[in-house]
Amino acid sequence: MDAKDHQDQPDAPPAQPEPLARRAFLGRSAAAGAAAVTAPLVLSACGGDADADDEITGGEDYQPGSATLKYDLAPEIDGVNYPEDYVGPRARALEPFGDGDTDFSVLSQVDPGMDFETNYYSQHLEETTGVNVSYLTVPAGEDGKTKVNAIVAGGDLPDAMMVGQDIFNLSEISIYGQQGLFLPLDRLIDENAPHILDMFASFPDMRKQYSSPDGRLYAVPSMNDCYHCKAANVRTWINSGWLEGVGAEAPTSITEYEELMDEFRTYSGKPEGSALTTASAETMLQLMQFFLGSFLEIPEINLRRNGSTVEWVQDDPAFREGMIWIQKQFADGNFDPGILSNTPEQYQSLGDASGGPEFGIAYGYSTFHFATASDPSDPEDISRIMTVMEPLEGPGGVRSCQWDHFSYGYPNFVITPQCPDPVQMVRWADYQFELGLTVSITRGEQGADWDWADEGQTGIDSQQAVYTVLNPGDELKNRTWREWGPLYKSTSQRHSEALDPDSPSIEPILYEGTKLVEPFATPEKIGVPPLIYDMEQSAQTGEIILNLEDHLKQTIADFATGRADAADDASWTAYLDKARAIGVDTYISIAQDAYDQQYG
């Protein structure tokens, strides 16, 4: 299971899939990007003219990249300071292109209190592009997914949809695209989208990663290359106040960790009833993976790659060795039994305690996992007390940090066959890959909420800043879209926001914590890149992943409470046998076939 970051929220069909319109979304385990699906529904009334669509898209014979671009990049704006080696969107002088007569309908998620008709960014986008858009909105989160299901099932689709941020995953977009629900966008982009092509030129793997196994791109991908997210799935924090209290340094090996737990156990300065090492039941596997990284390089809890072969991580004897050590930590009292049962709210209450955090070591993608609120501008805040830990060296010399090499964006903007002018729509999306619009989508109005940085101002990464937030901490009510729309947030762009030392932003802390662990990152060559599954495969893998996750959690609970023994061959064989009964071999076979089709 992968944890989601509040701020950044943040897979080749072997045969033609049957029509699909109604979906059951998986709310757990994003590891494979798979989704379960239910009864198929024929989408014969989707509208559109196939011949006309082929004329626009080039049809099945179109070769991506073969068309001639009709529009140049807009000229750059003078006076914007960029750091050396900046790679990302540039500030450009955009001119409206819309005909002013065609009205387009676009689906988006929406927050309570947000009104697209009066929203600043919506109005600014219309002025910048000259394109008239009315918005069909769904709530953010699970309710929104349900409503999108109903819209898709009804067949009365809008002209375009912004479906990133957990509405559709890559597998679903591939399935729907091949069914004709979404237009293939390659020719439209190649002829009309210079800013998107500029992103593809800077990040050449991106187009391939978000294309379907049939070679077509059915969604414009948004880039949100979050540096701190790359290590966030195992980010673990240590209480600097307790370290100071016992006169110790943060541990660098599991031996030092065990010694420190003995010191923490007898430390009189900790609040009564505190846990030494803890998490919630929801984030238990993230904490376990942090410690398992001392025994083997673990790119994720299930899959890894050995050359071009996909393997199940847990078959490695080193995984069992790590589980034996984890079992011992529960027995010795170093791991809090609450790990097995804490709700998210119970976990946060430990961090919210009036006497300071009631834990020594804790998992957290960010501080929101172990505290309801934080203010890094306050030196006594939990975000200052808890500091990111380096991974620990294990008995075999392994010292690794799980690192996500592949999640630097998501498929987002789709155009349906009902769209009266797909060229205008793809250009509307393309304009939003310009720097000013990419900043405004989450930071509001230039000159009021943000502006270009002065020379000498520095960003999160200590390089020249590109822009600065004028009123840090202000609520931008109905002024932004969050990150739902098309955008181009490269790592350079994300780090180019001027750093205000008095700002309540957690970003600098997460940046420094990620730099700390990056030297121990798992290598890209052992990670499995995003895989695209057909409808049947998505249903199979989604169910198997959930059941494997439940099986692992229950087994950890059994080891922790003495009901089973990881060191006992019979107990471990029983664990593996049940995993195979659940379907781990089927899962590996499906993943291998998808990998071979996409990357072989």
Side-chain angles (χ1 to χ4, degrees):
M1 185 180 89
D2 291 330
K4 293 279 186 171
D5 177 45
H6 284 191
Q7 188 163 4
D8 294 290
Q9 73 175 90
D11 286 268
Q16 181 66 29
E18 294 182 347
L20 168 70
R22 198 179 293 271
R23 307 158 49 253
F25 291 88
L26 296 179
R28 304 161 58 195
S29 190
V37 292
T38 57
L41 178 68
V42 176
L43 299 176
S44 58
C46 284
D49 184 311
D51 292 336
D53 290 345
D54 284 352
E55 187 172 338
I56 293 169
T57 65
E60 294 182 1
D61 296 331
Y62 179 72
Q63 295 297 314
S66 63
T68 301
L69 184 62
K70 297 178 180 179
Y71 303 96
D72 293 329
L73 284 166
E76 285 195 44
I77 295 172
D78 293 333
V80 179
N81 298 302
Y82 297 97
E84 188 178 357
D85 301 326
Y86 176 87
V87 180
R90 300 254 171 181
R92 301 184 181 277
L94 301 174
E95 295 291 338
F97 61 85
D99 61 21
D101 297 323
T102 308
D103 292 319
F104 296 91
S105 58
V106 176
L107 180 141
S108 175
Q109 298 180 73
V110 66
D111 278 326
M114 183 177 173
D115 180 358
F116 272 92
E117 288 189 14
T118 60
N119 178 271
Y120 163 74
Y121 183 73
S122 301
Q123 295 177 337
H124 177 50
L125 185 58
E126 183 170 336
E127 292 171 2
T128 303
T129 63
V131 176
N132 301 326
V133 173
S134 60
Y135 296 92
L136 174 65
T137 61
V138 298
E142 292 296 325
D143 288 345
K145 295 174 183 180
T146 302
K147 289 185 180 296
V148 172
N149 273 336
I151 292 167
V152 171
D156 186 15
L157 300 178
D159 300 323
M161 297 191 284
M162 297 184 288
V163 295
Q165 298 287 304
D166 299 329
I167 293 294
F168 291 152
N169 65 36
L170 191 54
S171 289
E172 293 156 347
I173 285 173
S174 175
I175 293 167
Y176 299 153
Q178 291 179 78
Q179 292 174 2
L181 188 62
F182 306 143
L183 294 179
L185 302 179
D186 291 282
R187 182 174 175 180
L188 284 163
I189 290 172
D190 291 338
E191 292 183 341
N192 306 289
H195 302 92
I196 296 172
L197 290 176
D198 181 59
M199 178 182 70
F200 288 164
S202 296
F203 300 91
D205 291 339
M206 194 170 190
R207 185 167 188 163
K208 178 180 180 181
Q209 180 166 311
Y210 293 105
S211 292
S212 295
D214 65 358
R216 295 180 172 192
L217 191 69
Y218 291 104
V220 175
S222 286
M223 171 168 276
N224 195 355
D225 197 6
C226 169
Y227 174 69
H228 72 74
C229 300
K230 297 182 186 302
N233 200 50
V234 293
R235 181 169 292 124
T236 300
W237 308 64
I238 191 165
N239 191 318
S240 62
W242 289 20
L243 283 175
E244 184 178 351
V246 300
E249 300 289 333
T252 60
S253 69
I254 60 172
T255 299
E256 291 179 5
Y257 164 83
E258 292 175 322
E259 293 170 351
L260 180 64
M261 292 301 99
D262 289 338
E263 295 185 67
F264 277 0
R265 198 180 338 272
T266 58
Y267 173 48
S268 61
K270 67 180 184 293
E272 185 177 353
S274 291
L276 301 185
T277 299
T278 194
S280 67
E282 182 182 70
T283 59
M284 171 176 68
L285 294 186
Q286 277 67 49
L287 182 67
M288 298 302 117
Q289 288 173 85
F290 171 81
F291 287 106
L292 285 166
S294 302
F295 295 86
L296 74 168
E297 293 179 324
I298 180 168
E300 60 115 318
I301 197 64
N302 279 312
L303 301 184
R304 71 179 179 193
R305 188 161 44 106
N306 182 2
S308 59
T309 301
V310 178
E311 300 177 335
W312 189 43
V313 169
Q314 297 174 38
D315 269 330
D316 192 321
F319 185 89
R320 180 187 181 187
E321 185 182 354
M323 293 299 292
I324 293 170
W325 182 85
I326 286 170
Q327 174 180 276
K328 182 176 183 296
Q329 304 316 300
F330 279 107
D332 291 347
N334 296 337
F335 280 12
D336 172 29
I339 291 171
L340 308 175
S341 60
N342 283 334
T343 65
E345 294 75 20
Q346 288 171 329
Y347 185 34
Q348 288 177 326
S349 71
L350 300 177
D352 292 339
S354 59
E358 294 182 350
F359 41 67
I361 291 176
Y363 167 77
Y365 194 114
S366 185
T367 55
F368 67 78
H369 266 128
F370 51 71
T372 54
S374 67
D375 178 6
S377 64
D378 177 0
E380 302 301 319
D381 186 70
I382 191 168
S383 61
R384 297 294 184 182
I385 295 171
M386 301 301 295
T387 60
V388 175
M389 284 180 63
E390 293 182 1
L392 306 176
E393 183 176 335
V398 177
R399 190 181 184 191
S400 68
C401 173
Q402 187 179 111
W403 192 270
D404 186 348
H405 292 275
F406 305 106
S407 296
Y408 48 78
Y410 43 87
N412 188 14
F413 185 74
V414 299
I415 300 175
T416 70
Q418 284 91 333
C419 181
D421 189 345
V423 171
Q424 279 199 67
M425 269 287 87
V426 82
R427 294 193 69 193
W428 180 84
D430 177 70
Y431 261 39
Q432 295 178 73
F433 286 70
E434 183 269 340
L435 177 58
L437 287 175
T438 281
V439 175
S440 286
I441 196 172
T442 57
R443 290 304 190 193
E445 183 179 0
Q446 182 184 354
D449 303 313
W450 68 272
D451 217 331
W452 303 121
D454 295 330
E455 188 172 356
Q457 285 186 277
T458 56
I460 292 168
D461 58 2
S462 300
Q463 297 190 58
Q464 170 64 46
V466 175
Y467 70 98
T468 182
V469 176
L470 299 179
N471 305 294
D474 277 10
E475 182 182 5
L476 300 176
K477 188 172 182 180
N478 205 36
R479 299 181 65 74
T480 68
W481 280 9
R482 282 214 270 165
E483 292 170 341
W484 293 320
L487 50 80
Y488 179 9
K489 288 191 169 187
S490 62
T491 297
S492 292
Q493 189 280 330
R494 287 179 59 97
H495 291 171
S496 69
E497 181 174 303
L499 181 60
D500 180 350
D502 297 323
S503 168
S505 174
I506 191 69
E507 289 284 332
I509 292 173
L510 298 178
Y511 172 78
E512 292 298 333
T514 306
K515 278 183 61 180
L516 182 71
V517 304
E518 186 174 10
F520 310 101
T522 52
E524 181 176 356
K525 67 180 182 180
I526 69 167
V528 178
L531 301 177
I532 301 175
Y533 300 120
D534 66 23
M535 183 178 68
E536 182 179 355
Q537 291 170 333
S538 291
Q540 280 185 286
T541 57
E543 182 178 3
I544 291 169
I545 289 167
L546 291 180
N547 290 336
L548 286 174
E549 181 180 303
D550 288 342
H551 175 45
L552 178 57
K553 285 185 172 181
Q554 181 58 57
T555 301
I556 290 173
D558 290 343
F559 292 157
T561 56
R563 292 192 296 266
D565 182 1
D568 176 64
D569 289 345
S571 291
W572 189 251
T573 299
Y575 171 72
L576 297 179
D577 286 348
K578 185 169 181 180
R580 289 195 152 74
I582 288 170
V584 69
D585 292 332
T586 299
Y587 175 34
I588 298 301
S589 177
I590 292 172
Q592 183 71 63
D593 289 345
Y595 178 84
D596 291 343
Q597 187 165 3
Q598 291 172 246
Y599 302 100

